[in-house]
Amino acid sequence: MNKSVIFDIDGTLLYARGSGRQAFGTAFRAAYGVEYCNVDKICFVGATDSNVVRNMAIESGITNTPALEEHFFMVLARELDRALATQKPLVYAGVPEFLAALTQCSLALGIITGNIRSTAWSKLRHGGIDRFFCFGAYGDDHHERSEIARRAIRRAPSAAPVAVMIGDTPLDIQAAKTHNLIAVAVATGWVSAADLAEAGADLVLDDFSDTARCVAGVMNLLR
Ligand SMILES: [Mg+2]
């Protein structure tokens, strides 16, 4: 193990089929005591869970507190795990094979996500890909993606510093560049390959379906 690669989750590894959005509505009602009317309009692309719930509270005219936020996260984790147990996340084509191949190249794999810790692992577990990852940083660590990335970098195995970050939005690319990491982008999410290239990704992949090509692309950047 000589280097680590960190992955975003939603839009990069899998799609939770809208389970997150529903769970946000239920958890907000439980923790903040009011209905949030714009659940269908929440933008999760490149967002962090901490930022999303803080904005929901502001829009609802509620003063947020750490206690309310923690209660929200607790209910969110329970609701989402329950939903994902019956409606499994869609793991994108080639993802398990790509993760297995990177592991065989002696790379350590980690998570950098705006999801809170419990929902991040819940999505990976229900998607059957949790076993590939050995560290991570999450949306309840901080509300800004580049600060979450800083924590993921700090948590990597000491023998395998983080060299590559893989995500599906310009915000992932920006976070990678902030920390001098190689930015790999995949267009399986909600941003086109052209826009990801424009945002400065070092490598843009349409998806992970061609394992050999994807692994070669990452290994070339590591040379
Ligand atoms: Mg994403």
Side-chain angles (χ1 to χ4, degrees):
M1 206 185 292
N2 51 17
K3 290 275 192 293
S4 285
V5 177
I6 53 177
F7 282 84
D8 167 61
I9 296 180
D10 298 287
T12 299
L13 297 172
L14 55 81
Y15 169 53
R17 306 180 197 261
S19 296
R21 190 176 294 279
Q22 281 174 30
F24 259 73
T26 306
F28 193 80
R29 194 164 52 241
Y32 291 83
V34 297
E35 194 78 32
Y36 180 74
C37 302
N38 296 321
V39 165
D40 291 343
K41 297 195 182 107
I42 299 172
C43 180
F44 290 104
V45 180
T48 65
D49 286 357
S50 298
N51 245 349
V52 170
V53 72
R54 285 171 198 183
N55 286 332
M56 289 167 81
I58 290 168
E59 282 178 40
S60 304
I62 296 171
T63 305
N64 198 22
T65 67
L68 286 174
E69 206 169 294
E70 198 56 36
H71 186 193
F72 171 85
F73 287 150
M74 197 177 67
V75 181
L76 178 71
R78 191 192 61 208
E79 290 297 315
L80 190 59
D81 192 66
R82 192 180 287 164
L84 292 171
T86 49
Q87 183 173 246
K88 299 284 181 197
L90 170 71
V91 175
Y92 295 127
V95 163
E97 295 82 358
F98 180 54
L99 298 175
L102 291 180
T103 303
Q104 277 160 15
C105 292
S106 296
L107 295 169
L109 307 187
I111 288 299
I112 152 73
T113 178
N115 287 215
I116 60 170
R117 177 188 292 261
S118 48
T119 60
W121 286 107
S122 184
K123 287 179 184 179
L124 297 173
R125 184 168 47 81
H126 286 295
I129 53 173
D130 52 307
R131 67 185 184 281
F132 295 110
F133 299 97
C134 61
F135 66 98
Y138 316 90
D140 44 351
D141 282 324
H142 204 272
H143 62 281
E144 282 176 15
R145 191 162 279 265
S146 61
E147 185 55 36
I148 299 172
R150 188 191 311 281
R151 292 176 197 219
I153 290 164
R154 226 185 280 149
R155 290 173 189 165
S158 55
V162 176
V164 179
M165 180 166 163
I166 304 185
D168 70 304
T169 72
L171 287 168
D172 298 303
I173 296 166
Q174 196 182 311
K177 295 295 174 187
T178 301
H179 299 290
N180 296 316
L181 303 177
I182 295 164
V184 175
V186 63
T188 39
W190 296 267
V191 183
S192 71
D195 286 349
L196 293 168
E198 174 80 8
D202 297 295
L203 172 67
V204 180
L205 301 165
D206 289 331
D207 56 37
F208 297 127
S209 59
D210 186 339
T211 307
R213 190 169 157 266
C214 294
V215 171
V218 170
M219 297 312 282
N220 278 340
L221 289 167
L222 282 171
R223 280 205 189 105

